[in-house]
Short mmCIF file of all heavy atoms in Angstrom, two decimals:
data_model
loop_
_atom_site.label_atom_id
_atom_site.label_comp_id
_atom_site.label_asym_id
_atom_site.label_seq_id
_atom_site.Cartn_x
_atom_site.Cartn_y
_atom_site.Cartn_z
N LEU A 664 32.36 -2.30 -1.44
CA LEU A 664 31.18 -1.74 -0.78
C LEU A 664 29.98 -1.87 -1.69
O LEU A 664 30.10 -1.78 -2.91
CB LEU A 664 31.42 -0.26 -0.45
CG LEU A 664 32.57 0.08 0.49
CD1 LEU A 664 32.70 1.59 0.63
CD2 LEU A 664 32.37 -0.56 1.86
N PRO A 665 28.78 -2.04 -1.13
CA PRO A 665 27.56 -2.13 -1.94
C PRO A 665 27.31 -0.82 -2.69
O PRO A 665 27.44 0.27 -2.11
CB PRO A 665 26.46 -2.41 -0.92
CG PRO A 665 27.16 -2.90 0.29
CD PRO A 665 28.49 -2.23 0.30
N SER A 666 26.92 -0.92 -3.94
CA SER A 666 26.72 0.27 -4.76
C SER A 666 25.58 1.15 -4.23
O SER A 666 25.59 2.36 -4.40
CB SER A 666 26.44 -0.12 -6.22
OG SER A 666 25.29 -0.95 -6.28
N VAL A 667 24.61 0.53 -3.57
CA VAL A 667 23.43 1.26 -3.13
C VAL A 667 23.73 2.32 -2.07
O VAL A 667 23.01 3.31 -1.94
CB VAL A 667 22.35 0.28 -2.61
CG1 VAL A 667 22.79 -0.36 -1.30
CG2 VAL A 667 21.02 0.97 -2.45
N CYS A 668 24.83 2.14 -1.32
CA CYS A 668 25.17 3.12 -0.29
C CYS A 668 26.64 3.53 -0.32
O CYS A 668 27.12 4.21 0.58
CB CYS A 668 24.81 2.57 1.10
SG CYS A 668 25.68 1.05 1.53
N ARG A 669 27.35 3.12 -1.35
CA ARG A 669 28.80 3.31 -1.42
C ARG A 669 29.22 4.77 -1.33
O ARG A 669 30.03 5.16 -0.48
CB ARG A 669 29.32 2.69 -2.72
CG ARG A 669 30.81 2.87 -2.95
CD ARG A 669 31.15 2.41 -4.35
NE ARG A 669 30.77 1.02 -4.55
CZ ARG A 669 30.41 0.50 -5.74
NH1 ARG A 669 30.34 1.28 -6.81
NH2 ARG A 669 30.09 -0.77 -5.84
N ASP A 670 28.70 5.60 -2.22
CA ASP A 670 29.17 6.99 -2.32
C ASP A 670 28.90 7.79 -1.04
O ASP A 670 29.77 8.50 -0.54
CB ASP A 670 28.51 7.68 -3.53
CG ASP A 670 28.96 7.07 -4.85
OD1 ASP A 670 30.03 6.41 -4.86
OD2 ASP A 670 28.26 7.26 -5.86
N ILE A 671 27.68 7.67 -0.53
CA ILE A 671 27.35 8.45 0.66
C ILE A 671 28.10 7.93 1.88
O ILE A 671 28.48 8.71 2.77
CB ILE A 671 25.82 8.46 0.92
CG1 ILE A 671 25.49 9.42 2.07
CG2 ILE A 671 25.31 7.07 1.21
CD1 ILE A 671 25.95 10.84 1.87
N LEU A 672 28.35 6.62 1.94
CA LEU A 672 29.09 6.07 3.07
C LEU A 672 30.51 6.63 3.11
O LEU A 672 31.01 7.02 4.17
CB LEU A 672 29.11 4.54 2.98
CG LEU A 672 29.78 3.80 4.14
CD1 LEU A 672 29.07 4.11 5.46
CD2 LEU A 672 29.78 2.29 3.88
N LEU A 673 31.14 6.72 1.94
CA LEU A 673 32.50 7.25 1.88
C LEU A 673 32.51 8.75 2.18
O LEU A 673 33.39 9.25 2.88
CB LEU A 673 33.11 6.97 0.51
CG LEU A 673 33.39 5.49 0.21
CD1 LEU A 673 33.84 5.31 -1.23
CD2 LEU A 673 34.43 4.93 1.17
N GLU A 674 31.52 9.48 1.65
CA GLU A 674 31.48 10.92 1.89
C GLU A 674 31.21 11.23 3.36
O GLU A 674 31.90 12.07 3.98
CB GLU A 674 30.39 11.57 1.02
CG GLU A 674 30.26 13.08 1.24
CD GLU A 674 29.15 13.72 0.43
OE1 GLU A 674 28.48 13.00 -0.34
OE2 GLU A 674 28.95 14.95 0.57
N TYR A 675 30.22 10.55 3.93
CA TYR A 675 29.85 10.83 5.32
C TYR A 675 30.99 10.46 6.28
O TYR A 675 31.33 11.25 7.16
CB TYR A 675 28.59 10.06 5.69
CG TYR A 675 28.24 10.17 7.16
CD1 TYR A 675 27.66 11.33 7.66
CD2 TYR A 675 28.52 9.14 8.05
CE1 TYR A 675 27.36 11.46 9.02
CE2 TYR A 675 28.23 9.25 9.40
CZ TYR A 675 27.65 10.41 9.88
OH TYR A 675 27.36 10.54 11.22
N THR A 676 31.56 9.28 6.13
CA THR A 676 32.62 8.85 7.05
C THR A 676 33.87 9.71 6.92
O THR A 676 34.60 9.91 7.90
CB THR A 676 32.98 7.37 6.84
OG1 THR A 676 33.28 7.14 5.44
CG2 THR A 676 31.82 6.47 7.26
N ASN A 677 34.12 10.24 5.72
CA ASN A 677 35.25 11.17 5.57
C ASN A 677 35.05 12.41 6.44
O ASN A 677 35.98 12.91 7.08
CB ASN A 677 35.40 11.56 4.10
CG ASN A 677 36.55 12.52 3.88
OD1 ASN A 677 37.71 12.20 4.16
ND2 ASN A 677 36.25 13.70 3.37
N GLN A 678 33.81 12.90 6.49
CA GLN A 678 33.51 14.06 7.32
C GLN A 678 33.52 13.71 8.80
O GLN A 678 33.89 14.54 9.64
CB GLN A 678 32.17 14.67 6.90
CG GLN A 678 32.17 15.16 5.45
CD GLN A 678 31.11 16.22 5.19
OE1 GLN A 678 30.83 17.04 6.05
NE2 GLN A 678 30.55 16.19 3.99
N VAL A 679 33.11 12.47 9.13
CA VAL A 679 33.17 12.04 10.53
C VAL A 679 34.62 11.98 11.01
O VAL A 679 34.91 12.31 12.18
CB VAL A 679 32.49 10.66 10.70
CG1 VAL A 679 32.79 10.08 12.09
CG2 VAL A 679 30.99 10.79 10.52
N MET A 680 35.54 11.61 10.14
CA MET A 680 36.95 11.58 10.52
C MET A 680 37.41 12.98 10.93
O MET A 680 38.17 13.14 11.90
CB MET A 680 37.81 11.07 9.36
CG MET A 680 37.58 9.61 9.00
SD MET A 680 38.32 8.46 10.19
CE MET A 680 40.05 8.56 9.75
N ASN A 681 36.94 14.00 10.21
CA ASN A 681 37.30 15.37 10.57
C ASN A 681 36.71 15.75 11.93
O ASN A 681 37.36 16.40 12.75
CB ASN A 681 36.81 16.34 9.49
CG ASN A 681 37.53 16.14 8.17
OD1 ASN A 681 38.69 15.73 8.14
ND2 ASN A 681 36.85 16.42 7.07
N VAL A 682 35.44 15.38 12.14
CA VAL A 682 34.81 15.65 13.43
C VAL A 682 35.57 14.92 14.54
O VAL A 682 35.77 15.45 15.64
CB VAL A 682 33.33 15.23 13.42
CG1 VAL A 682 32.72 15.37 14.81
CG2 VAL A 682 32.55 16.06 12.41
N GLY A 683 36.00 13.69 14.23
CA GLY A 683 36.75 12.90 15.21
C GLY A 683 38.04 13.58 15.64
O GLY A 683 38.39 13.57 16.83
N ASP A 684 38.73 14.18 14.68
CA ASP A 684 39.96 14.91 15.04
C ASP A 684 39.66 15.99 16.08
O ASP A 684 40.39 16.16 17.06
CB ASP A 684 40.58 15.55 13.78
CG ASP A 684 41.29 14.52 12.90
OD1 ASP A 684 41.57 13.41 13.40
OD2 ASP A 684 41.56 14.83 11.73
N THR A 685 38.59 16.74 15.85
CA THR A 685 38.21 17.79 16.79
C THR A 685 37.85 17.22 18.16
O THR A 685 38.27 17.74 19.20
CB THR A 685 37.02 18.59 16.23
OG1 THR A 685 37.38 19.18 14.99
CG2 THR A 685 36.59 19.67 17.20
#
Side-chain angles (χ1 to χ4, degrees):
L664 299 176
S666 59
V667 69
C668 61
R669 177 189 302 151
D670 294 340
I671 187 57
L672 184 60
L673 292 174
E674 179 182 359
Y675 174 76
T676 52
N677 180 60
Q678 298 203 36
V679 169
M680 293 285 284
N681 294 329
V682 174
D684 284 344
T685 300

